[in-house]
Structure formats: C-alpha cells, structure tokens
Amino acid sequence: MAAITEVLKWLETNEKQSVARLVDWLKIPSISTDPAYKGDVRKAAEWAAEHLRASGLIAEIHETGEPAGTGHPIVLATTPGLEHAAGPHVLFYGHYDVQPVDPVALWESGPFEPVIKSGEGGERIVARGACDDKGQVMMFLEALRAWKDAGGAVAGNIRFTVLLEGEEESGSVNLDRYLRQNAERFKKCDVCLISDTGMLSREQPAITYGVRGLTYTEIKLHGPNQDLHSGLWGGRCPNPNNELVKVLAQLWDKDRKVTIPGFYDSVRPLGADERAAWAKLPFSAAEALKKIGLSAEADIGEAGYTAMEREWARPTAEINGIYGGYTGAGAKTVIPAWAAAKVSFRLVADQNPDRVSEAFFAWCKDRTPPGCKWEFHLHSGGDPATVQTDSPYLRAASAAVEKACGKAPSLIRSGGSIPVAGQLKAICGLETVFMGFGLDDDRVHSPNEKFELGCYRMGAKSHAWLIELLRGMR
Amino acid sequence: MAAITEVLKWLETNEKQSVARLVDWLKIPSISTDPAYKGDVRKAAEWAAEHLRASGLIAEIHETGEPAGTGHPIVLATTPGLEHAAGPHVLFYGHYDVQPVDPVALWESGPFEPVIKSGEGGERIVARGACDDKGQVMMFLEALRAWKDAGGAVAGNIRFTVLLEGEEESGSVNLDRYLRQNAERFKKCDVCLISDTGMLSREQPAITYGVRGLTYTEIKLHGPNQDLHSGLWGGRCPNPNNELVKVLAQLWDKDRKVTIPGFYDSVRPLGADERAAWAKLPFSAAEALKKIGLSAEADIGEAGYTAMEREWARPTAEINGIYGGYTGAGAKTVIPAWAAAKVSFRLVADQNPDRVSEAFFAWCKDRTPPGCKWEFHLHSGGDPATVQTDSPYLRAASAAVEKACGKAPSLIRSGGSIPVAGQLKAICGLETVFMGFGLDDDRVHSPNEKFELGCYRMGAKSHAWLIELLRGMR
C-alpha cells in the first residue's frame, strides 16, 4: 500500500491519541505576556521538543533575549541525515505561547482544563490555545508522527526545519534578533510554512496569501500630580479621563477613516480584479456578525469598502484597552491623576509599523490638553506581508488541501498579523505559505476559545498530503 | 474662671489625648462602598457612640436599609434632660465612613495606619478619613468632651441631636428613608451644623453657605457578545472602546459647556454682587494649581467664569472612571465585548439630580453606535443647597470662628456635595450652617489624605466657642 495511504489511515485510527496529546499540551498555561507564567511557557516548549524527538527529529531548546534566558525559549528541530538530500527544504513556523485568559469569569470551563464538547460542526476542543496556535501546530506535529510511524521515514524524508516560538502573543520581542543571528541557517530553506490562519468557512478551506501588519502602543495622559476630589476640583482643572476621550475620539473621521496625517500614504490600493475575485467568495458579512450576536447594521468600518476588504486590505485603529480613575464597585467621586489607553493599528502593505506609531505619538502631542503631559510606550509591531500566488509551494499546498478536503481551497487574505512572515522575507528572503484551518468563530484571544475536530482532521491530512506532494518535487 | 476659658484650656492641655483618640478611630477601615468592610464600618459607628457616651450623651446605634441591617448603621445621640430647656436645639450631622484607598501603592504610609508628619503649616495627621470626615467630626466631639470635663455641663447645657452617618461616601442610599421615618424628631431642631467643608486658606477660615449637588451614573456600552481578535474583526464591527470615547467626547462643546439639552435650564445665574464679593476673596487659581503640580495654563473649565465661580456656582460633567478591554500588563489584541464609564455631574441650584441623569441617559441613547446596546446605572445623587447668610446661627458660627481663630471667616461656597443639607431642608425644613476647617490640598478622596493639627485646633476651639455663644442665645 502506498505510504500516504498508510499515513492517512494512521491519522484516522490514532486520532483519539493525537487529541489526547493536544489536551496535554493545552493544559500548560503558556501565557507569554505575563511574567508569572514564565516557567509554564518553558514547560510548553519542552513538551513540544519531546513530541518532535518522538517523531525522529533533533530538537533543541534555544534561549532568547539579551542576556540570553531573559526571553522565552525557541524550539528548533531538524530532520536528521537529510542535509544533502535533494528536493525542497521547508521551514515550519508555529508558536506554542497563548493569550491571557481574562475575563476568566466568562469561561464555561477552565481555560487550561481542555474539554471536548459537541456543537455546530460536531465535536470541538475548548481551551486557551485550542486553535491559536497549539491546535494548528499539532496538526503538523501529528502529520510528522504519522509519517514516522506509518510512512516509514522521518518526515517522509523531506528536509524540515521546525521553529516554534514562545513570544508570538507578546510581540515576538526577541525573534528578530534570533532570526538575524541564525540567518545563515534559515536561508538554506526554500519556503516557510505556517498554520496560524483560517478557512473561509467550515465547508470551504483556504490558503492565505496576505496578512496585515501591526503596531501596538500604550499612551498615558498625566494631569494633576494626585487624584483629586471631583467636588473641590471639578470644573477647575483638566480631568485626564475627560481629556483622553476627547483626544482619542478624533482618531476617526465621519467615514471612519484614521485621521493621522499620512496614515494612508503607503497603502497599496486594492486592484479591481482582486476586489472582483473576493466578491465571488462565499462570505456573508451579516452571517458572520450574527455569530457574534450583532445585527447586520453593525457592519461598520471604513466607508467605501466591504467587510472583507476592510479586514483583508485596509488598515485600522483600535482601542484594545482603556483605563483611568475609579473602576471598582460603587461610586468614587475622583478626578484621576492620569488616564491611559492601549491603541493598536492593523497595517497593510506597504505601511511601516514604526513610522505609524511615531506619527500617532506626534498626533497625540499636537492635541496635548492644557497643563497635561503624555507618556508613550511602544509594545510591539510587525510588517504586513503578501506572498506570491504562483509559487510551486503554494500550488503544492493548494493541491494537498484539495486532496485532504476533497475541495479546492479559496485564495484569501487575513486581517490578522503574522509578523514572522515579513521578517523571514526581509532577513532570509523566504516566502511563506499560510495553510491554516481556523474558523471565524473560534474565539481566539477570547473566552471559550475552541478548535473543531473536523478542522483538525482536515489540517492533519493536508499536512500529511503536503509532505507526500513535496516528495514528488524531489 | 469662665467656663469657656476652662474649656479652651482643656482643649490645649488635652490635645495629645484628643489626637490619640482620633488616631484610634482612623485605624478602623470604614469604607462604606465596599461590602468587604461592612464589619469595620459598624466598628467605627460603635467607636463614635462610645465617645459620645463618655461625653454624657445618650447614644444609640440605629440600623438602616430595607430590610433593616442591610445598610450601614447611623449613630444617633442626644443630650439628656434638656428636652424642655430654653434656647436653640442644634442637629449636628457628620459621617464616620470613608472613601476607598486605591491606588493604594501611592500611599506613603498605610491608609489605616495614621501617622503624624510635619510639613508646611506644621504637624498633620495622614490617613484615610483624617479630614473627610472623621477629623472634622472629631473637632466637635472633643469640644463636647471639653465642655463636659472642664465646662461643668454636658454640651454646656445646649440641646444637641448628633447624627453620624455611615454611608455618605457611598451615596447615602438609606439616609432619605431614615430622615423621613424620624422627621418629627429632627423637626424639633432649630438648625443643622455640619463640619465637612473647608477654609479659604491656612490663614483664612471660612463659613460655607452653598454646596453643589451630585448625580453619579455608570454607563456600559455592549457590542459583540464576546471579546474578539482585533486582527480578524478590526474594521468589520463596532469596537465598544472606540465607540464609547466617540460618544463621551461629545459631552462638552469647545467652551467646555455640557451639551446635554436643557442641562443649564434651571441653573441660577450668578449675581453681579456675588461675583464681585468672590473676586475680593484672597484666592489664586494659579497658586492652587501649583499645589497639585499643574501650571497656570491648566486653569481650564467652562468659558466665561473664574476658577472659583466654576467650582462654587457652575455645574460640571466628569468621567470619574473609564474601563474597557485589556488593561493588564503587556499587549492583548482584543476588541472587547463592552466598555464602561462612571460619569458624574456636579449640580447647582436649582438643578435636579434625577432629571439630569435621565437627560444624560437619553442623550447617550440618541448616540447609540450601530448594533450596540446601552446599560445604564444610577449610583447616587444629592440636591444642591444654598443657605441663608443672615440667620442668627450663621452669625453665631461666624463669631465663634472669629473668636477661635482671631480672624473673621470669609463667606464662601463649596464645589463639593453634602446632600443631607438639601434633604434636611426638604424633609424637616432645617437650614444648615457649614463650619469646616479642611484645606484645598488635604488630598481628600486621594492617597495620603491629611488633616493639619493647626486646622484641627481652630475647629475644636470654634466648636467650643459656638456652644458658648449658643448659651448666650438662651
């Protein structure tokens, strides 16, 4: 029987064990942005390294940060003995860290106590990281396992370098340095493969050829040097809460366009044929909104673009967090000493994250309320990335998905950000193929994050098939 | 020697013990807005009742709330055996509860570990409640103690009813019912005396003849039924953080006037002679701002009025708290399901708190962002109050302050709110005399709240003198 047949059979008969392994991994609370979880993040890295070793790869834990060890570790694994093998050399990138879990009260089950529930689309696994990105990485890891156990060769004799990051959800602050320090190693690869994107719908798989960039800032407006009694001071001095909302409200004009001067200067306009192609895709903005409890009238955003165009090809400004004054129970008549907001911008080619955050800070300065002072902080950023739609690797990925799902994938973009793609292009000249299986309503970054086993199944088979098709390219 | 001379001597020689008693009281964390402190609030009430009993009054603890006991207790004390005595019957009102202490990190010493520090103006006591209102009530309590121990008669044979509330800092939610249920009792009084206001400066004592009203609301804007990933949803649906700041920013026009329709309709315009009298008062807006770390350019507020006029005679809208999305450490790329703000309004005669909050909620509704829903909550309110400047009691208080401080008090107003004054007027027909000794920079409601011993001294003597002068009115 052909190796791929055995591999696919293995994936079916071993699915329970595969999911059980994913559950083990999901139990480790690898929240990278919160220092309290540093030890758990490392545990999740070691767990992944062990899994890769069991599939026959050589896996190392690499320290990151300056000095080394101040960052979260990177898992780097390679297929042994294939240094001089013919055929493609694939860099697989994924991340094993997860987002914070708050508001924790809204979780129906513990974020790190994974449960299998049934719902629309069949069984799904519910936990933080179920989809983003442990679940998606697991599809690839189990395809490797299947090829070793049933396919008769580690990774089907395809050269792989596997890079699993632990800081993706906290801005990948150490990744750039790591990539530059190991650039020679990654330049040897032919293409990067990432499973951290979505399908168009449960029924319609997709290959993603573009992602948005990001710059994430925090601004703090300082007023009086102490909290004040709103009776004695109300009407007599600036209230940072009042003043901050008056400044931030100016971020958008009546067409919901961002008002920062030059913000759109380097945005590549959407081509007519691209818009036409997207219009043909089976997607309903109203249906998507219904899934998050909103009516069709909530289909708002930059004027002149459809929801899909706004997500895939237009930049945004979002207040991800705002806080100032008394936020506890009951009433406190205070004028606070300061107010703050976390403001991020999703960017599209060819916007530059650093230039945008600088322009935003300057824009705030121009609006400094009388007697107040700003404090600016840049959390993280990442370049937008679009990839060639005509590369042999993207064609191979499409064919693999079609064989695994029985349906040709749509070519789509994503509004999310995968900064590593831009970095690999800039530092190592690598193109990236995004082969992901998430759904719009997987609640990534939210309470009750889920990943449907149906999606997991398609993804694992697609990765198994991709290896088979890469073998044919030798 | 005259009784008053003995009383004043007692206050001087016993000051250490008086302050030690205040320290004991301040150690009890009677935060009324936070249910976690319910037991401590009661302890503070019992402490006050004990103090009053030791000065010869009959003190009772009255339960409040429906059902009784759900609210914080009221301490009610009366001078015994004077039911048929001639001369004035004075209702003293004060409160023994305190504001929350956050941000607790900014306290140089424990909020409930009172310390005596020296600084500008000499020694001061630092603790939550040092000034507002335990310290100010203590001036009266120790004057009573002095009259009993050195003056030879409980309260100098002046009829007093003492009402100490435990819910002033949490909206006095049960006071109105209590006053109505006991109206007959309070109607027997001739005047109300309150020590919860301030002096014009360390050198210039004052009698306050007007306070602002208040209505305190909380509004919550609901968008999607779950937190969303700002990459997948940014630009495709309403972000409650973005939308809330856009609505709240409309609360003020460019002249910093509140834009709610009809907001100013029942505001009594300031008289020319009142403005002229205030202009003569020794007050510098720039000096006051310097004390809270702000430059003169921070002297902002409703156009066309001085800082003093804005605080004393003009209404305001203040965002006391705002919160939505991710407010923890680091970055989280979330579009939150909701965003909220605590918004309060200081009111002047003849604005009505309930009408203002209703108008504000309607104003919000008119600005509901597409697909979003509002949740409105009214925390508390209180009527503005102005009192006659020509009453014999106000004249007696002025004379008492002049004798105690060697300087005639200025007649001022306050931007703060003392709702009980309006309630006593409406329910029992009582006028109120505000004889207070706080300072602008006492940090009431803020970290490191203080009360200067110099102020305490003037206040205790003034209360002792007031009793002496009331004796003369028999």
Side-chain angles (χ1 to χ4, degrees):
Chain A
M1 208 194 278
I4 180 64
T5 319
E6 298 288 349
V7 168
L8 295 171
K9 202 159 109 243
W10 185 99
L11 286 173
E12 273 174 34
T13 52
N14 288 272
E15 186 174 289
K16 272 206 160 21
Q17 296 88 315
S18 299
V19 172
R21 282 188 280 268
L22 174 55
V23 165
D24 284 343
W25 201 17
L26 288 170
K27 283 179 180 169
I28 307 171
S30 48
I31 302 171
S32 58
T33 200
D34 187 339
Y37 294 89
K38 199 171 197 308
D40 295 301
V41 175
R42 178 171 299 269
K43 263 176 64 182
E46 280 155 359
W47 190 98
E50 266 318 302
H51 190 291
L52 285 157
R53 289 182 193 118
S55 298
L57 283 77
I58 297 165
E60 302 165 345
I61 301 282
H62 289 182
E63 301 302 333
T64 69
E66 292 260 274
T70 53
H72 296 302
I74 278 174
V75 180
L76 195 80
T78 51
T79 43
L82 299 174
E83 290 67 20
H84 309 294
H89 181 175
V90 178
L91 171 66
F92 179 90
Y93 166 91
H95 67 89
Y96 64 85
D97 63 321
V98 299
Q99 278 275 318
V101 296
D102 58 287
V104 71
L106 297 186
W107 284 80
E108 290 160 13
S109 50
F112 299 108
E113 294 151 20
V115 289
I116 308 290
K117 290 185 172 180
S118 46
E120 196 189 349
E123 289 192 312
R124 72 270 308 273
I125 183 160
V126 178
R128 170 59 83 228
C131 173
D132 180 13
D133 186 31
K134 285 173 176 168
Q136 296 229 44
V137 170
M138 202 65 184
M139 304 180 303
F140 170 73
L141 294 183
E142 290 294 313
L144 286 181
R145 180 66 55 91
W147 269 99
K148 166 157 187 302
D149 290 2
V154 170
N157 285 326
I158 294 298
R159 274 181 300 170
F160 275 100
T161 295
V162 180
L163 192 171
L164 301 183
E165 188 194 1
E167 298 181 337
E168 200 271 351
E169 301 293 7
S170 52
S172 299
V173 287
N174 294 302
L175 185 62
D176 193 81
R177 189 193 303 103
Y178 180 84
L179 292 177
R180 292 179 190 285
Q181 285 168 349
N182 300 275
E184 287 319 307
R185 189 162 193 166
F186 300 119
K187 282 178 183 167
K188 292 206 186 87
C189 302
D190 301 300
V191 67
C192 175
L193 174 67
I194 297 180
S195 292
D196 196 11
T197 50
M199 306 200 287
L200 202 52
S201 74
R202 196 172 281 120
E203 297 71 32
Q204 183 54 54
I207 297 287
T208 299
Y209 69 95
V211 293
R212 288 195 288 191
L214 173 73
T215 185
Y216 197 111
T217 72
E218 189 153 0
I219 61 173
K220 194 171 185 181
L221 183 64
H222 294 272
N225 62 9
Q226 59 190 271
D227 285 0
L228 301 171
H229 186 299
S230 71
L232 303 185
W233 284 99
R236 274 174 60 187
C237 72
N239 173 338
N241 277 344
N242 298 9
E243 301 304 319
L244 182 63
V245 300
K246 286 195 277 181
V247 171
L248 287 176
Q250 301 171 44
L251 247 180
W252 308 268
D253 65 17
K254 60 170 189 17
D255 294 328
R256 297 179 183 273
K257 285 188 185 294
V258 176
T259 58
I260 299 170
F263 185 74
Y264 295 95
D265 286 358
S266 46
V267 171
R268 274 189 229 159
L270 253 169
D273 36 358
E274 206 164 23
R275 297 182 87 162
W278 294 356
K280 289 202 197 72
L281 292 172
F283 169 80
S284 156
E287 279 306 309
L289 287 167
K290 198 189 284 177
K291 288 194 180 127
I292 56 169
L294 290 173
S295 60
E297 66 164 336
D299 179 18
I300 56 172
E302 187 184 358
Y305 297 92
T306 67
M308 190 173 273
E309 291 166 349
R310 297 194 305 263
E311 182 203 331
W312 292 357
R314 299 298 300 175
T316 65
E318 301 288 351
I319 302 173
N320 303 106
I322 187 164
Y323 56 111
Y326 184 66
T327 58
K332 188 180 180 202
T333 51
V334 65
I335 290 176
W338 55 265
K342 295 173 190 271
V343 181
S344 71
F345 301 85
R346 294 283 170 175
L347 309 174
V348 298
D350 298 307
Q351 287 178 300
N352 175 284
D354 295 334
R355 274 201 295 278
V356 168
S357 49
E358 279 316 310
F360 173 54
F361 294 154
W363 179 90
C364 291
K365 275 208 185 106
D366 291 344
R367 288 157 178 76
T368 307
C372 297
K373 287 189 191 60
W374 288 107
E375 183 183 341
F376 299 125
H377 179 59
L378 178 58
H379 277 293
S380 55
D383 290 302
T386 54
V387 297
Q388 301 162 9
T389 53
D390 59 357
S391 86
Y393 303 109
L394 191 139
R395 283 196 300 272
S398 298
V401 171
E402 181 163 7
K403 283 187 173 296
C405 311
K407 194 165 193 181
S410 305
L411 273 186
I412 68 171
R413 288 215 224 169
S414 165
S417 302
I418 304 181
V420 65
Q423 290 168 296
L424 286 169
K425 178 81 178 175
I427 301 168
C428 314
L430 278 185
E431 285 276 327
T432 295
V433 172
F434 301 100
M435 188 171 81
F437 295 85
L439 293 176
D440 236 9
D441 66 350
D442 278 341
R443 298 171 166 257
V444 295
H445 294 207
S446 306
N448 307 307
E449 177 179 353
K450 71 159 170 74
F451 192 41
E452 299 187 3
L453 294 190
C455 298
Y456 168 84
R457 213 165 283 140
M458 285 193 257
K461 283 190 198 161
S462 297
H463 280 286
W465 266 111
L466 179 56
I467 289 175
E468 171 71 6
L469 298 181
L470 291 169
R471 284 152 64 90
M473 291 170 72
R474 285 185 298 208
Chain B
M1 211 195 277
I4 181 63
T5 318
E6 298 288 349
V7 168
L8 296 170
K9 203 159 109 246
W10 185 98
L11 286 173
E12 271 173 35
T13 52
N14 288 271
E15 186 174 289
K16 272 206 159 20
Q17 296 89 314
S18 299
V19 172
R21 283 188 280 267
L22 174 55
V23 165
D24 284 344
W25 202 16
L26 290 170
K27 284 179 180 169
I28 307 171
S30 49
I31 302 171
S32 58
T33 200
D34 187 339
Y37 293 89
K38 198 169 197 311
D40 294 301
V41 175
R42 178 170 298 270
K43 263 174 66 182
E46 280 156 0
W47 191 98
E50 265 318 302
H51 191 291
L52 284 157
R53 289 181 192 120
S55 298
L57 284 77
I58 298 165
E60 301 165 345
I61 300 283
H62 288 181
E63 300 303 332
T64 69
E66 292 262 277
T70 52
H72 296 301
I74 278 174
V75 179
L76 195 80
T78 51
T79 44
L82 298 175
E83 290 67 21
H84 308 295
H89 181 175
V90 178
L91 171 65
F92 180 89
Y93 166 91
H95 67 91
Y96 64 84
D97 63 321
V98 299
Q99 279 275 316
V101 296
D102 59 286
V104 70
L106 297 187
W107 284 80
E108 290 160 12
S109 51
F112 300 108
E113 293 150 20
V115 289
I116 309 288
K117 289 185 173 181
S118 46
E120 196 189 349
E123 289 191 311
R124 72 270 307 272
I125 183 160
V126 179
R128 169 60 83 229
C131 173
D132 181 13
D133 187 29
K134 286 173 177 170
Q136 296 228 43
V137 170
M138 202 64 186
M139 304 180 302
F140 170 72
L141 294 183
E142 289 294 314
L144 286 181
R145 180 66 54 91
W147 267 100
K148 163 149 189 309
D149 291 2
V154 171
N157 284 326
I158 295 297
R159 276 182 298 168
F160 275 100
T161 296
V162 181
L163 192 172
L164 302 183
E165 189 195 0
E167 298 182 336
E168 199 270 351
E169 301 293 7
S170 52
S172 299
V173 287
N174 295 301
L175 186 62
D176 193 80
R177 188 193 301 103
Y178 180 85
L179 292 177
R180 291 180 191 283
Q181 286 169 347
N182 301 276
E184 289 318 308
R185 189 162 192 165
F186 300 119
K187 281 179 181 163
K188 293 206 186 88
C189 301
D190 300 300
V191 67
C192 176
L193 174 66
I194 296 180
S195 291
D196 196 11
T197 50
M199 305 200 286
L200 203 52
S201 73
R202 195 171 281 120
E203 297 71 31
Q204 183 53 54
I207 297 286
T208 299
Y209 70 95
V211 293
R212 288 195 288 190
L214 173 73
T215 185
Y216 197 111
T217 73
E218 189 153 1
I219 61 172
K220 195 171 184 180
L221 183 65
H222 293 273
N225 62 10
Q226 59 191 270
D227 285 359
L228 301 171
H229 186 300
S230 72
L232 304 184
W233 284 99
R236 273 175 61 187
C237 73
N239 174 337
N241 278 344
N242 296 10
E243 301 304 319
L244 181 63
V245 300
K246 287 195 277 182
V247 170
L248 287 177
Q250 301 170 45
L251 247 182
W252 308 269
D253 66 15
K254 59 170 188 21
D255 293 328
R256 297 178 182 273
K257 286 188 185 295
V258 176
T259 58
I260 299 169
F263 184 74
Y264 294 96
D265 285 358
S266 47
V267 171
R268 274 189 229 161
L270 252 170
D273 34 359
E274 207 165 22
R275 296 183 87 162
W278 293 356
K280 287 200 199 72
L281 292 171
F283 169 80
S284 156
E287 279 306 309
L289 288 167
K290 197 190 286 178
K291 286 193 182 130
I292 55 167
L294 289 173
S295 60
E297 67 164 336
D299 179 18
I300 57 173
E302 187 184 359
Y305 297 92
T306 67
M308 189 173 273
E309 291 166 350
R310 297 194 306 264
E311 183 204 330
W312 292 357
R314 299 299 298 175
T316 64
E318 301 287 351
I319 303 173
N320 302 106
I322 186 164
Y323 55 110
Y326 183 66
T327 57
K332 187 179 181 204
T333 51
V334 65
I335 290 177
W338 55 265
K342 295 173 190 272
V343 182
S344 71
F345 301 84
R346 294 284 170 174
L347 310 174
V348 298
D350 297 312
Q351 288 177 300
N352 175 284
D354 295 335
R355 275 202 294 278
V356 168
S357 48
E358 280 315 310
F360 173 53
F361 294 155
W363 179 90
C364 290
K365 274 207 185 108
D366 290 344
R367 289 157 179 76
T368 307
C372 297
K373 288 189 190 61
W374 287 107
E375 183 184 341
F376 298 125
H377 180 59
L378 179 58
H379 277 292
S380 55
D383 289 304
T386 54
V387 298
Q388 301 162 7
T389 52
D390 58 357
S391 88
Y393 304 108
L394 191 138
R395 282 196 300 274
S398 298
V401 171
E402 181 164 6
K403 283 188 173 296
C405 310
K407 195 165 195 181
S410 304
L411 274 186
I412 68 171
R413 289 216 224 167
S414 166
S417 301
I418 304 181
V420 66
Q423 290 167 295
L424 286 169
K425 178 81 178 175
I427 301 167
C428 315
L430 279 186
E431 285 275 328
T432 296
V433 172
F434 300 99
M435 188 172 81
F437 296 85
L439 294 176
D440 235 9
D441 66 349
D442 277 341
R443 298 172 165 257
V444 295
H445 293 207
S446 306
N448 307 309
E449 177 179 353
K450 71 157 169 77
F451 192 41
E452 299 186 3
L453 294 190
C455 298
Y456 167 84
R457 213 164 282 139
M458 286 192 256
K461 282 190 198 162
S462 298
H463 280 286
W465 264 111
L466 179 55
I467 289 174
E468 170 71 6
L469 299 180
L470 291 170
R471 284 153 63 88
M473 292 169 71
R474 287 186 297 209

